[in-house]
Amino acid sequence: MASETQWLEQWIPEQMEPGTLFVLENAGSLGDARNPYWAVLSCPSCGTLGLITRSQFHGREAMICGGDHCSAEYYLREDHVEYRKPH
């Protein structure tokens, strides 16, 4: 299952709907130097905002929603979110 990613050009949190992505202006300067924070992604299932790393942004690592009532796991692909398949 996949859903399309929406890109936000300007940081306006109120416009962050589920699946919206905003690349940080200072991408790469925060967090671990080997895998810094790169963007903010709104969970495609519940809309909870979360920072994502460079590896997650490029689809090399999965993300898990940090929401209180959501545990969605997904990968960011070029223009969509792909949910992680259960094992």
Side-chain angles (χ1 to χ4, degrees):
M1 183 174 171
S3 61
E4 290 206 25
T5 304
Q6 301 169 24
W7 292 76
L8 194 62
E9 297 291 325
Q10 189 174 11
W11 178 243
I12 304 171
E14 295 79 20
Q15 292 183 0
M16 297 284 290
E17 296 178 4
T20 303
L21 182 73
F22 173 75
V23 177
L24 298 169
E25 290 178 13
N26 56 352
S29 64
L30 301 171
D32 184 340
R34 292 170 285 158
N35 191 20
Y37 292 116
W38 209 258
V40 176
L41 177 64
S42 177
C43 174
S45 293
C46 73
T48 299
L49 300 181
L51 284 169
I52 63 171
T53 65
R54 180 174 49 210
S55 293
Q56 292 168 325
F57 181 80
H58 292 291
R60 294 188 297 258
E61 291 181 8
M63 291 163 268
I64 301 174
C65 178
D68 291 337
H69 304 287
C70 181
S71 59
E73 295 183 45
Y74 46 88
Y75 289 92
L76 185 60
R77 300 298 186 212
E78 290 179 15
D79 60 347
H80 65 279
V81 172
E82 181 180 304
Y83 288 91
R84 188 171 175 195
K85 295 171 181 64
H87 293 276

